[in-house]
């Protein structure tokens, strides 16, 4: 064995080790106890594979490569460290989009190489274009491009750089035509392998990613980000096949499958199909058909504090409004004050509260709430009838009882938290507006519901002050 | 050369692995896990490096460089945000954190 063969063997061995570490890493991330070590294992896996790749035979442009890696790593590292926990979902969208773009770039590079064959060959000793590699290069590039521009739009929307929804008449027809154009140009690339088709193919695919994401409303973003995450994984797997790199095939396909399952779990939690999220006009303008009787009854913080003081069992329901107000720390402070006074306090989390599945859990964990005080919807719903006071902070559609009663409502059938069954409900809300779905909330009009109009932090502060005023802050 | 049915088996087994790993995950880990799997596909950087390293034309070189730039951002950013999220997970049984016991 000569030294070139030995190096090649070592590179292959490194990729194998990387693949094992990545799978073990994801496995460890699926339990709270081992989760932290999981990301570190996966991190070592990628690092090993990256270092090994530098020793790949016939590598050119190494200086440019290093410059690109260092510049991008520095930027991403800095932005990732600096971003507030509430803004995590859009950062995940952004980094995911970058991965999709990278996979699309690999596809573009491979297609250009194929187009100029036999002078350039991706696989040694194989001067002819391999049809299966060509097809998967096109497929991976299509999916990667959609994930790239789609994720960037999702990022821009969540960052508040863009209107939540953007719609025009006949939009679905235009989107459909754009997708068909991308597929048709992709087929032309496979059949003819000419540069102009490659350019048209990428233009259509990138445009479709934008068009597809524009009409999707903020409430549906968790599902969309998760879907694009799966897309990027799949694209990486396909481009891995093009490059005959098993580590990419395995890691990409594992993420593709895991991401698809995660997306389905989330869509199921909203009682909707993935196609319904992508192609329906849910989330804007659609007023509920049924008129709601009654009025919203305001309450001031001192009266609300007295209600809490007299209660024994309290359930707190946070939503995205809490994240926007950065109120999670104050809410935990309030909870600690209540626990000090022997109250039974629990947090109830709807599966799609926030902007990512489990987003609320992350924010509460950041504030220091132990995860065993946090309950899932199925576990907590039977407890609401025995609950003296339920505090809803920044949640709206996920506690709206019309999801169970009003068949004409767009959210009919979505599983909700049964807050309406609590003896008393206090809703902390900035104003009288509707939720992301644009639907009036029947809960707010119920007799047992009082509205505390305030910013989340301010409301929590006042409630803490109110509690201390009742018993002099002694906790007894 | 991994081709034909061998490749199909590989994709199939990897897909089942991904499905199995996720299907028993508690809801509280969905976000970190999504972020973590986002990091895992950052291995795309390796592919982009090869694409850049084997580029023969200026166009391929720039496409490859963009790919490397984007891939490195996916890997680095994905790692940092995932680690930050997971850092915060603690249980009330650990000393130092307040819990139901703090009456």
């Amino acid at each position: 064995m000569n030294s070139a063969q030995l190096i090649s063997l070592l590179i292959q061995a490194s990729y194998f080790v990387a693949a094992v570490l990545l799978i073990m890493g994801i496995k460890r991330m699926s339990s709270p106890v081992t989760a932290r070590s999981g990301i570190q294992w996966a991190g070592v896996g990628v690092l090993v594979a990256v270092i090994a790749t530098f020793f790949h035979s016939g590598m050119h442009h190494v200086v440019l490569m290093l410059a690109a890696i260092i510049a991008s790593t520095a930027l991403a590292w800095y932005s990732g460290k600096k971003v507030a926990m509430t803004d995590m979902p859009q950062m995940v969208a952004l980094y995911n989009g970058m991965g999709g773009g990278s996979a699309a770039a690999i596809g573009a590079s491979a297609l250009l190489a194929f187009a100029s064959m036999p002078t350039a060959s991706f696989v040694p000793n194989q001067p002819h274009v391999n049809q299966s590699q060509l097809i998967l290069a096109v497929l991976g590039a299509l999916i990667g491009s959609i994930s790239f521009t789609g994720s960037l739009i999702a990022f821009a929307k969540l960052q508040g750089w863009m209107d939540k929804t953007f719609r025009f008449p006949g939009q679905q027809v235009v989107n459909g035509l754009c997708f068909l154009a991308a597929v048709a140009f992709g087929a032309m690339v496979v059949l003819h392998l000419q540069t102009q088709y490659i350019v048209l193919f990428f233009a259509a695919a990138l445009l479709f990613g934008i068009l597809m994401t524009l009409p999707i409303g903020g409430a549906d973003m968790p599902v969309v980000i998760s879907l694009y995450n799966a897309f990027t994984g799949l694209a990486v797997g396909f481009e891995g096949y093009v490059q005959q790199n098993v580590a990419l095939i395995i890691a990409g396909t594992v993420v593709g499958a895991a991401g698809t399952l995660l997306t389905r779990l989330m869509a199921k939690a909203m009682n909707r199909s993935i196609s319904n999220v992508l192609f329906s006009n849910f989330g804007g303008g659609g007023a509920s058909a049924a008129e709601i009787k009654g009025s919203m009854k305001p309450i001031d913080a001192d009266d609300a504090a007295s209600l809490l003081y007299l209660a024994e069992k309290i359930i707190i329901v946070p939503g995205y409004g809490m994240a926007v107000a950065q109120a999670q720390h104050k809410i935990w402070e309030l909870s600690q004050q209540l626990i000090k006074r022997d109250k039974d306090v629990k947090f109830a989390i709807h599966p799609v509260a926030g902007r990512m599945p489990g987003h609320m859990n992350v924010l509460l964990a950041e504030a220091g709430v132990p995860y065993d005080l946090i309950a899932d919807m199925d576990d907590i719903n039977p407890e609401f009838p025995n609950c003296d006071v339920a505090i809803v902070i920044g949640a709206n559609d996920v506690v709206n009882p019309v999801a169970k009663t009003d068949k004409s409502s767009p959210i009919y059938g979505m599983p909700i938290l049964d807050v309406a069954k609590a003896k008393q409900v206090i809703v902390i809300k900035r104003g009288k507006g509707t939720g992301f779905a644009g639907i009036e909330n029947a809960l707010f009009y119920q007799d047992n519901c009082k509205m505390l109009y305030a910013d989340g932090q301010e409301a929590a502060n006042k409630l803490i002050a109110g509690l201390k005023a009742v018993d002099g802050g002694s906790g007894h | 050369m991994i081709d034909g049915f061998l490749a199909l088996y590989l994709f199939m087994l990897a897909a089942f692995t991904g499905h199995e790993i996720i299907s028993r995950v508690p809801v509280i880990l969905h976000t970190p896990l999504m972020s973590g799997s986002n990091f895992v596909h950052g291995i795309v950087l390796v592919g982009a490096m090869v694409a850049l390293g084997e580029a023969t034309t200026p166009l391929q070189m720039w496409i490859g460089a963009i790919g490397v730039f984007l891939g490195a951002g996916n890997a680095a950013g994905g790692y940092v945000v995932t680690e930050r999220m997971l850092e915060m997970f603690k249980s009330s049984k650990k000393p130092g954190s307040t819990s139901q016991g703090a009456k």
Side-chain angles (χ1 to χ4, degrees), chain A residues 274-295:
Chain A
I274 294 170
S275 66
N276 185 252
V277 170
L278 295 177
F279 304 119
S280 81
N281 275 353
F282 177 85
S288 176
E291 194 75 18
I292 298 167
K293 291 189 178 68
S295 63

Side-chain angles (χ1 to χ4, degrees), chain A residues 40 53 60-61 72 80-81 83 96 98-99 102 113 229 241 243-244 246 253 257-258 336 356-357 361 366 370 372, chain B residues 2-3 11 15 22 28 31 37-38 41 46-47 52-53 60 67 69-70 73-74 83-84 86 88 90 92-93 98:
Chain A
Q40 285 153 0
T53 307
H60 304 289
H61 315 300
S72 181
K81 281 273 183 214
V83 66
N96 174 57
M98 292 177 88
S102 186
N229 186 39
Y241 176 80
Q243 290 197 342
Q244 292 289 300
V246 187
T253 311
Q336 284 173 304
M356 281 201 294
N361 304 87
E366 183 203 12
D372 36 17
Chain B
I2 305 154
D3 210 351
F11 277 113
I22 290 278
I28 70 161
T31 284
S37 61
N38 178 36
H41 64 53
V46 169
L52 172 59
Q60 282 180 322
F69 182 86
L70 293 174
N74 181 181
E83 205 185 27
R84 275 186 61 192
L86 291 175
M88 300 174 319
K90 43 186 175 248
S92 61
K93 275 128 201 140
T98 34

Side-chain angles (χ1 to χ4, degrees), chain A residues 178-308:
Chain A
C178 184
F179 180 69
L180 283 180
V183 172
F185 287 130
M188 295 301 274
V189 171
V190 172
L191 294 174
H192 301 294
L193 255 183
Q194 282 164 350
T195 315
Q196 67 265 34
Y197 291 130
I198 297 178
V199 173
L200 286 170
F201 162 67
F202 274 100
L206 291 169
L207 181 65
F208 178 68
I210 296 175
L211 291 177
M212 177 176 160
T213 321
L214 279 177
I216 300 174
D220 288 334
M221 273 308 149
V223 183
V224 174
I225 295 174
S226 175
L227 182 70
Y228 287 151
N229 186 39
F231 273 19
T232 302
L234 212 56
V236 171
F238 287 169
E239 300 302 341
Y241 176 80
V242 175
Q243 290 197 342
Q244 292 289 300
N245 185 327
V246 187
L248 259 67
I249 297 180
I250 291 176
T253 311
V254 166
V255 173
T260 307
L261 181 65
L262 202 53
T263 311
R264 276 177 45 214
L265 288 178
M266 292 162 60
K268 209 173 127 199
M270 300 167 80
N271 193 37
R272 302 172 63 201
S273 67
I274 294 170
S275 66
N276 185 252
V277 170
L278 295 177
F279 304 119
S280 81
N281 275 353
F282 177 85
S288 176
E291 194 75 18
I292 298 167
K293 291 189 178 68
S295 63
M296 294 196 211
K297 292 158 284 295
I299 188 172
D300 66 32
D302 288 339
D303 290 346
S306 313
L307 281 178
L308 290 176

Side-chain angles (χ1 to χ4, degrees), chain A residues 428-439:
Chain A
I428 300 173
K429 210 168 170 305
R430 286 176 73 136
K432 295 185 181 185
T434 52
F436 285 103
I439 303 158

